[in-house]
Amino acid sequence: MGRKLNNRKKVELINEVLDRYDEGACLYCGGTLNGDLESSDFDEGYSDDWCGNCAKEIDPTDDWEEACLIAIDKVIHDKEFKP
């Protein structure tokens, strides 16, 4: 299990998760996801939630609301983000 974060840091991380959710950005690194169809590096071989920057997929079912809630739950309970 990862180290415990203080509550102020948790609030900051939750805000960052929400910002990335709103921007459609990778929850791991903040990079542009494959779902940005206007992106020059869009690749039809990968799902919309695949990150061309860190090569992680956020959620295999592309359920962004659920992926965001899972990320927030991990922050609250001091769990590590693992692909």
Side-chain angles (χ1 to χ4, degrees), residues 3-54:
R3 68 180 216 270
K4 293 201 174 244
L5 300 173
N6 66 40
N7 289 337
R8 170 175 251 149
K9 184 65 176 172
K10 286 181 182 184
V11 170
E12 290 172 9
L13 286 174
I14 289 169
N15 281 330
E16 187 173 337
V17 168
L18 292 173
D19 288 343
R20 289 185 183 187
Y21 170 80
D22 288 339
E23 296 166 0
C26 178
L27 297 177
Y28 292 96
C29 73
T32 302
L33 293 168
N34 198 48
D36 180 7
L37 302 179
E38 297 176 7
S39 173
S40 61
D41 59 354
F42 174 73
D43 189 331
E44 291 184 19
Y46 293 97
S47 68
D48 289 349
D49 66 342
W50 179 77
C51 179
N53 190 46
C54 69

